[in-house]
Amino acid sequence: MASYRTGPDLWAKTDYKAKDVDTVQFYDGFSFLTITWLEGLGFCEVGEGGRFIEGGKRIAIDGELPLNTFGGQIGAGRLHGFGFAHEAVVQLRGQGGARQIPGDPRVAVAASGGGPLAAALLLTKD
């Protein structure tokens, strides 16, 4: 899974770490890919992604790591990576309306793919 190789590359090029991220928007063309992104980017250990999302509270809009706040591809259509990058920007700008995460989000990650190919963007207000 390319998401496991992409994560270390993303963090190697910045001083930010997974603990600094306020929201994630991960490709969900297949539901297991969001789990591989959580693991590959270091939000949880490899093999712990299922436990991380269990019950949905941690990844809810008011959770510790809001995930796919726009509904992902099921909620917004199959645009591959574009919808995820767009939603990350919407959240950082505070323009999410009813789906806006609380507080003042400053750091977001958007990712696409995750099978044989993957890409991830680290977006900040800074």
Side-chain angles (χ1 to χ4, degrees):
M1 302 303 295
S3 54
Y4 292 110
R5 292 186 307 276
T6 303
D9 286 346
L10 177 73
W11 301 124
K13 296 173 178 38
T14 181
D15 291 333
Y16 288 102
K17 302 294 176 210
K19 65 179 173 53
D20 300 317
V21 176
D22 298 307
T23 185
V24 293
Q25 309 298 325
F26 291 156
Y27 179 75
D28 59 352
F30 301 95
S31 56
F32 75 91
L33 290 174
T34 56
I35 293 172
T36 66
W37 278 115
L38 287 166
E39 294 175 356
L41 290 171
F43 293 101
C44 61
E45 296 295 322
V46 173
E48 296 295 318
R51 285 185 196 85
F52 187 88
I53 66 169
E54 189 172 8
K57 292 187 191 280
R58 293 175 100 175
I59 59 171
I61 286 178
D62 60 350
E64 68 183 77
L65 189 64
L67 182 137
N68 290 0
T69 51
F70 68 117
Q73 292 185 127
I74 284 179
R78 192 162 175 87
L79 299 173
H80 298 285
F82 179 77
F84 302 99
H86 178 265
E87 181 65 9
V89 172
V90 165
Q91 290 295 329
L92 293 177
R93 288 182 175 171
Q95 299 173 338
R99 69 178 190 277
Q100 180 63 44
I101 63 174
D104 182 25
R106 313 232 17 107
V107 182
V109 174
S112 184
L117 302 171
L121 300 170
L122 178 66
L123 300 154
T124 70
K125 279 183 158 178
D126 298 334

